[in-house]
């Protein structure tokens, strides 16, 4: 005869697979008696948490990360009174913010200006701004910073002769002189002389 016995029933044990940045997590339940299994308790992938170029969870490189660096330094400019003096800095990076600093002649320290938020600094040139020094500090979204070179704004003063020299004569042994006056910035003077019988001019040692 056949005797009926009751089924043992499943005895499931769970194995957890943790989620990572790109793959979700889940629990696999397997019966210790027959090997039957199923998956449940699914959770979503964590997603990457990029900071300063790499994921803080898995270390994978951020495909959109651009290392902060100055690609073009600003240069000093010289412009006429009333014209725009513009200085530009070129920078690569992510989420950049720009802070410009300036110092006028006679000042002992630089001051921050909030008038310019981008990569260019532009002011109308005046005599008071002649000799102003400026630089820029650039910050990316990760908090990294770079500082540009310090450059100078200069007022252009056209060079003009305001007094021409005039001929002079004297007796032998007496001193003769010639004077020239000019306006401009950083002027240097070089005199040239030629004797009465000379064919060409030569530099004079007189300054």
């Amino acid at each position: 005869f056949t005797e009926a016995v009751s089924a043992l029933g499943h005895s499931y044990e769970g194995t957890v697979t943790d989620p990572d940045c790109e793959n979700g997590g889940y629990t696999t339940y397997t019966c210790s008696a027959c090997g039957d299994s199923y998956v449940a308790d699914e959770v979503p992938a964590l997603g990457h948490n990029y900071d300063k170029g790499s994921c803080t969870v898995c270390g994978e490189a951020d495909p959109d990360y651009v290392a902060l660096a100055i690609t073009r330094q600003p240069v000093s400019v010289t412009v006429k009174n009333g014209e725009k003096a513009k200085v530009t800095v070129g920078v690569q990076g992510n989420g950049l913010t720009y802070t410009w600093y300036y110092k006028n002649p006679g000042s002992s320290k630089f001051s921050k200006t909030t008038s310019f938020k981008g990569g260019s600094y532009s002011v109308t040139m005046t005599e008071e701004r002649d000799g102003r020094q400026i630089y820029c500090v650039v910050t990316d979204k990760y908090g990294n910073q770079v500082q540009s070179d310090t450059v100078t704004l200069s007022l252009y003063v056209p060079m003009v002769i305001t007094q021409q020299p005039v001929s002079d004569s004297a007796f032998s042994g007496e001193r003769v002189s010639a004077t020239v006056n000019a306006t401009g910035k950083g002027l240097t003077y070089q005199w040239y002389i030629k004797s009465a019988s000379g064919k060409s001019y030569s530099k004079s040692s007189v300054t």
Side-chain angles (χ1 to χ4, degrees):
F1 68 97
T2 301
E3 182 180 0
V5 294
S6 300
L8 297 175
H10 292 294
S11 178
Y12 289 104
E13 296 180 356
T15 301
V16 176
T17 299
D18 293 324
D20 58 27
C21 292
E22 298 181 350
N23 303 292
Y26 54 88
T27 300
T28 303
Y29 292 92
T30 304
C31 178
S32 59
C34 69
D36 180 62
S37 65
Y38 67 95
V39 174
D41 304 330
E42 296 184 9
V43 294
L46 299 175
H48 292 293
N49 180 34
Y50 292 117
D51 182 49
K52 297 183 180 180
S54 63
C55 178
T56 59
V57 179
C58 69
E60 179 177 305
D62 183 352
D64 298 321
Y65 176 74
V66 178
L68 179 64
I70 293 178
T71 58
R72 185 179 67 256
Q73 290 284 1
V75 295
S76 298
V77 295
T78 300
V79 297
K80 296 179 180 179
N81 195 10
E83 293 185 349
K84 287 289 186 180
K86 185 176 181 180
V87 173
T88 300
V89 61
V91 186
Q92 66 175 27
N94 302 104
L96 303 180
T97 58
Y98 299 79
T99 305
W100 289 90
Y101 294 83
Y102 72 95
K103 183 179 73 170
N104 286 326
S107 178
S108 60
K109 63 179 181 179
F110 284 86
S111 300
K112 180 170 68 175
T113 176
T114 58
S115 300
F116 309 100
K117 302 294 185 181
S120 294
Y121 178 101
S122 179
V123 294
T124 300
M125 197 63 195
T126 63
E127 291 183 1
E128 292 75 18
R129 290 171 174 155
D130 184 22
R132 171 176 287 188
Q133 294 181 302
I134 59 173
Y135 68 87
C136 185
V137 174
V138 186
T139 307
D140 67 12
K141 68 177 183 179
Y142 306 108
N144 301 311
Q145 290 187 332
V146 289
Q147 179 175 323
S148 76
D149 292 343
T150 299
V151 297
T152 303
L153 308 182
S154 298
L155 180 65
Y156 172 71
V157 179
M159 185 176 64
V160 178
I161 293 179
T162 59
Q163 178 184 342
Q164 291 284 357
V166 295
S167 298
D168 192 15
S169 62
F171 291 106
S172 178
E174 293 183 340
R175 180 178 295 274
V176 294
S177 65
T179 300
V180 60
N181 288 326
T183 59
K185 298 180 69 174
L187 301 180
T188 60
Y189 297 82
Q190 176 62 61
W191 291 89
Y192 291 80
I193 57 175
K194 183 180 72 168
S195 65
S197 59
K199 294 183 179 180
S200 61
Y201 285 88
S202 59
K203 286 184 179 181
S204 170
S205 59
V206 177
T207 57

